[in-house]
Amino acid sequence: QVQLVESGGGLVQAGRSLRLSCAVSSSIFSINAMGWYRQAPGKQRELVAAVTSDGSTNYADSVKGRFTISRDSAENTVPLQMNSLKPEDTAVYYCYAYVRPVYEYWGQGTQVTVSS
């Protein structure tokens, strides 16, 4: 069982930055892939960024060049650095973990609101 706890959300003006963090209850090296998803009101949940156990990353086109996902093995967290935020980035952001073969885990979510 993997527990995920997000933090760092809040209200920010467009153009500013926020740093989300996902605290992981087990070693991040035991997890095959981790990511951040988001869900805006009335929209489907979508992948924002992901990182695999070998360090490969993947980003949604809408956040490429602005968001950076990483793994902090010392703190056992998965941060998401979000720069140049836009109003359309407003959503609830969820941390996600995948452990082979079929295990998926989600955090409770953290609200990010970007004002124009």
Side-chain angles (χ1 to χ4, degrees):
Q1 186 80 4
V2 176
Q3 293 182 327
L4 307 172
V5 179
E6 302 99 333
S7 61
L11 173 63
V12 65
Q13 287 185 324
R16 304 297 290 269
S17 299
L18 272 179
R19 184 177 178 88
L20 304 182
S21 184
C22 176
V24 187
S25 63
S26 60
S27 170
I28 59 175
F29 293 109
S30 68
I31 299 173
N32 299 107
M34 294 202 66
W36 285 92
Y37 282 71
R38 67 186 180 188
Q39 187 167 19
K43 295 188 177 181
Q44 288 188 330
R45 191 172 296 190
E46 62 175 357
L47 175 67
V48 175
V51 58
T52 62
S53 56
D54 65 1
S56 299
T57 57
N58 183 41
Y59 296 93
D61 288 343
S62 59
V63 307
K64 281 181 181 176
R66 300 189 297 123
F67 291 11
T68 303
I69 190 171
S70 59
R71 298 180 304 164
D72 186 333
S73 58
E75 298 291 330
N76 222 41
T77 61
V78 178
L80 180 69
Q81 179 66 39
M82 306 186 295
N83 298 330
S84 302
L85 283 161
K86 304 175 180 180
E88 51 263 44
D89 294 319
T90 295
V92 178
Y93 284 69
Y94 297 91
C95 185
Y96 166 85
Y98 168 71
V99 179
R100 291 194 183 104
V102 295
Y103 304 103
E104 297 182 317
Y105 304 92
W106 293 92
Q108 81 288 351
T110 185
Q111 177 70 46
V112 172
T113 303
V114 184
S115 63
S116 57

